[in-house]
Amino acid sequence: MRRFVLLAHKAPVAPDFTLNDLPGSAGRIDVLCRAIGAAFFLSHDLRRDVEVDILLQDQVQIRLVGEKLKRLNPDERSTAALIKHALEKLVGEEEEVQSTPGIFVSRRTLPEMVDRLYQLGAHPVVLHEEGAPFEAASIPDDPAFFLSDHQDFSPTDEEALADLPRVSLGSTPLHTSQCITIVHYLLDRQREDEGDLVMCHKVWEESKAHLIKGLLEDFGIPANLVRHVPPSVLPITVDGLSEVRIMVRPRDLQRAREIISDYFEPPIDE
Amino acid sequence: MRRFVLLAHKAPVAPDFTLNDLPGSAGRIDVLCRAIGAAFFLSHDLRRDVEVDILLQDQVQIRLVGEKLKRLNPDERSTAALIKHALEKLVGEEEEVQSTPGIFVSRRTLPEMVDRLYQLGAHPVVLHEEGAPFEAASIPDDPAFFLSDHQDFSPTDEEALADLPRVSLGSTPLHTSQCITIVHYLLDRQREDEGDLVMCHKVWEESKAHLIKGLLEDFGIPANLVRHVPPSVLPITVDGLSEVRIMVRPRDLQRAREIISDYFEPPIDE
């Protein structure tokens, strides 16, 4: 599961705001609404393996749980209405309550949120300009990414998050929702790349296999060579006659085959 | 300049919609508002080298020009108000008019938009699920990315765009605004990587330089070796004593130095 933890510094903890002025009197709730949308929405679908935990002014936690979530729409106003409704339901409550399907509201502080995540086996990671580059960092399973809203992390936030690993999305300063979109994109890509490599061509000369591998890598396509000795009636392997399979990521397959075709010969795919 | 061309199929061409129901009676104008935000906004800043061209129902073009744009805010409602105002200004006009600073509205069709882009020297590219992988494609200078709204390209769109190159952001189906965010991210990264490599360490043995290069590459950090023969009183180069500089991308510098330090020795940076 991917979790996003949003620390909101100005958004109200009481439901007395108007949906007609989200950036103003509603304390930039529009920032949170866009972040929620970025976390959950696919084109005409919802990411069910996502949880968004919002902390309002270090007092109120609103959790949106993808696998149970209903009534979430992509526009800001309807999402703000769900938050407003959650805050209405919290009035007079001590324990966590479910305000609408998949949305849970309670009174929590940041250290309590971090503790809860550890207890669930999640791995907190702070998205921070000064962190290690995301693409080179090894993101743990079950990550919980901490992000701030339109303001920087407060000194209290920084203190509570001081011991957590930090990763960065580069030097361009982005909106919270944009960071979430990019994190999803990079993790989706990593997951695709972890899948099995596929064969794009096979040759019978080791040297030619290396030529093709080098060519593909010049085009930015990583390739592996797999040697495969076919069953034979001969009790010995004739050197230089073993089959070499050139393996690439599924997303590179079509382009790799085009390149091989342009430079060498029509690719063999079995 | 980066251009994004949004083809909107349901959004109204007349200003008779309410800002309180953007996804409903306003024909999913919320989709366009989020896309505009993704195209222009940085954290507390605006991308000035961006233009967004919106085509409403193949009839009305609204252009948002980054370098002249004023009054744009990140929330959907205020952006929708700017679109509504543009449509009000268009009533009775034949030529393109500026409705608010940086927003221009006119009557155009898709083929006319494509022609205009070519005349400006822009390079149209279609973001399409069936395109070549973005990261491997060579994106031209002055790209103009064509995207659809929440609906697929219509048959008329497909016909008008048939001859344009197509690139894909992978197999996960995304919202228009998410695609724009990712395109910006990938182009920002490419631009950073095109900058000069920086030296992260230097050694005096070629073999050791290769060991370090291999180590860095194991961690996903591309490295180049640059041989540098220092001025010497000797008229000959003593083999194996030339200086080798290990060069990496600026964004990898800190991590490369940490890795070298962990595995070999404190890095030398001049």
Side-chain angles (χ1 to χ4, degrees):
Chain A
M1 181 190 280
R2 298 177 192 167
R3 285 187 177 83
F4 297 94
V5 185
L6 312 179
L7 306 188
H9 301 95
K10 292 284 176 192
V13 294
D16 55 351
F17 58 87
T18 165
L19 298 178
N20 291 340
D21 185 22
L22 302 180
S25 56
R28 299 305 311 273
I29 269 199
D30 61 309
V31 173
L32 304 181
C33 295
R34 280 193 300 281
I36 290 169
F40 285 110
F41 281 104
L42 294 170
S43 185
H44 306 289
D45 202 0
L46 220 57
R47 292 184 189 262
R48 293 293 175 188
D49 60 339
V50 165
E51 180 174 309
V52 172
D53 302 343
I54 300 175
L55 184 64
L56 305 173
Q57 297 185 31
D58 208 8
Q59 297 174 39
V60 171
Q61 173 188 265
I62 299 178
R63 291 196 302 124
L64 296 93
V65 181
E67 62 180 1
K68 298 175 181 170
L69 204 52
K70 289 183 184 163
R71 301 190 208 164
L72 185 70
N73 285 303
D75 67 298
E76 291 167 12
R77 186 187 174 92
S78 64
T79 305
L82 292 175
I83 294 177
K84 185 171 175 161
H85 186 65
L87 293 173
E88 285 164 358
K89 285 280 183 181
L90 182 65
V91 175
E93 294 285 344
E94 286 304 312
E95 297 298 310
E96 183 171 79
V97 287
Q98 185 169 198
S99 54
T100 48
I103 301 188
F104 302 84
V105 59
S106 59
R107 298 177 201 283
R108 290 283 186 285
T109 63
L110 180 52
E112 288 169 352
M113 280 180 88
V114 177
D115 280 352
R116 173 182 168 269
L117 291 170
Y118 275 123
Q119 284 167 18
L120 292 170
H123 294 95
V125 174
V126 181
L127 279 181
H128 200 288
E129 283 167 32
E130 291 163 15
F134 192 99
E135 287 142 307
S138 59
I139 303 298
D141 287 339
D142 272 325
F145 297 98
F146 281 73
L147 299 96
S148 191
D149 57 359
H150 60 295
Q151 299 190 334
D152 288 339
F153 288 117
S154 71
T156 332
D157 298 342
E158 293 274 8
E159 199 185 319
L161 306 176
D163 295 334
L164 302 181
R166 295 175 172 197
V167 296
S168 159
L169 293 171
S171 57
T172 310
L174 299 170
H175 280 197
T176 314
S177 56
Q178 294 168 338
C179 292
I180 293 174
T181 296
I182 294 166
V183 165
H184 270 319
Y185 173 76
L186 294 173
L187 292 180
D188 289 347
R189 282 304 226 187
Q190 283 181 12
R191 192 172 51 190
E192 281 175 30
D193 291 346
E194 279 164 8
D196 290 338
L197 297 182
V198 292
M199 186 178 85
C200 72
H201 191 37
K202 59 182 172 186
V203 295
W204 280 265
E205 306 99 65
E206 182 95 16
S207 58
K208 184 167 176 183
H210 280 286
L211 268 180
I212 293 177
K213 181 177 192 290
L215 175 72
L216 292 176
E217 287 174 353
D218 284 346
F219 281 92
I221 299 177
N224 273 0
L225 301 182
V226 176
R227 280 140 206 94
H228 178 71
V229 182
S232 158
V233 291
L234 291 172
I236 53 162
T237 306
V238 181
D239 188 44
L241 274 186
S242 70
E243 177 187 310
V244 186
R245 298 176 175 210
I246 297 154
M247 312 292 288
V248 297
R249 300 179 297 202
R251 64 164 152 133
D252 293 326
L253 179 63
Q254 194 189 340
R255 203 150 157 278
R257 291 171 60 85
E258 285 167 12
I259 292 167
I260 294 170
S261 174
D262 286 349
Y263 284 77
F264 288 94
E265 62 209 355
I268 299 166
D269 60 354
E270 209 82 55
Chain B
M1 181 191 280
R2 298 176 193 168
R3 285 186 177 83
F4 297 94
V5 185
L6 312 178
L7 307 189
H9 301 96
K10 292 283 177 193
V13 293
D16 56 350
F17 58 87
T18 165
L19 298 178
N20 291 340
D21 185 21
L22 303 181
S25 56
R28 298 305 311 273
I29 270 200
D30 61 309
V31 173
L32 304 181
C33 295
R34 280 193 300 281
I36 291 169
F40 285 110
F41 281 105
L42 294 170
S43 185
H44 306 289
D45 203 0
L46 220 58
R47 291 184 190 262
R48 293 293 175 188
D49 60 339
V50 165
E51 180 174 309
V52 172
D53 302 343
I54 300 175
L55 183 65
L56 305 173
Q57 297 185 31
D58 208 8
Q59 297 174 38
V60 171
Q61 172 188 265
I62 299 178
R63 291 195 302 123
L64 296 94
V65 180
E67 61 180 1
K68 298 176 180 169
L69 205 52
K70 288 183 184 163
R71 302 191 207 162
L72 186 70
N73 285 303
D75 67 297
E76 291 167 11
R77 186 188 174 92
S78 64
T79 305
L82 292 175
I83 294 177
K84 185 171 174 160
H85 185 66
L87 293 174
E88 285 164 359
K89 286 279 183 182
L90 183 65
V91 176
E93 294 285 344
E94 286 304 311
E95 298 298 310
E96 183 172 78
V97 287
Q98 185 170 197
S99 54
T100 49
I103 301 188
F104 301 84
V105 59
S106 58
R107 299 179 201 282
R108 290 282 185 286
T109 62
L110 179 51
E112 288 169 352
M113 281 180 88
V114 177
D115 280 352
R116 173 183 168 267
L117 291 170
Y118 275 123
Q119 284 167 18
L120 292 170
H123 295 95
V125 174
V126 181
L127 279 181
H128 200 288
E129 283 167 33
E130 291 163 15
F134 191 99
E135 287 142 308
S138 60
I139 303 297
D141 287 340
D142 273 325
F145 296 99
F146 281 73
L147 299 96
S148 190
D149 57 358
H150 60 295
Q151 298 190 336
D152 288 339
F153 288 116
S154 71
T156 332
D157 298 341
E158 293 274 9
E159 199 185 318
L161 306 176
D163 295 334
L164 302 180
R166 296 176 171 197
V167 295
S168 159
L169 293 171
S171 57
T172 310
L174 298 170
H175 279 198
T176 314
S177 56
Q178 295 168 338
C179 292
I180 293 174
T181 296
I182 294 165
V183 166
H184 270 319
Y185 173 77
L186 294 173
L187 292 180
D188 289 347
R189 283 305 226 186
Q190 283 181 12
R191 192 172 51 190
E192 281 175 30
D193 291 347
E194 280 164 8
D196 290 339
L197 297 182
V198 292
M199 186 178 86
C200 72
H201 191 37
K202 58 183 172 186
V203 295
W204 281 264
E205 306 99 64
E206 182 95 15
S207 58
K208 185 167 176 183
H210 280 286
L211 268 180
I212 293 177
K213 182 177 192 290
L215 175 71
L216 292 176
E217 287 174 352
D218 285 346
F219 281 92
I221 299 178
N224 274 0
L225 302 183
V226 176
R227 280 139 207 95
H228 178 72
V229 182
S232 157
V233 291
L234 291 172
I236 52 161
T237 306
V238 182
D239 188 44
L241 273 187
S242 70
E243 178 187 309
V244 186
R245 297 176 175 210
I246 297 154
M247 312 292 287
V248 297
R249 300 179 297 202
R251 64 165 152 132
D252 293 326
L253 179 63
Q254 194 188 340
R255 203 151 158 276
R257 292 171 60 85
E258 285 167 12
I259 292 167
I260 294 170
S261 174
D262 286 350
Y263 284 77
F264 288 94
E265 62 210 354
I268 298 166
D269 61 353
E270 209 82 57

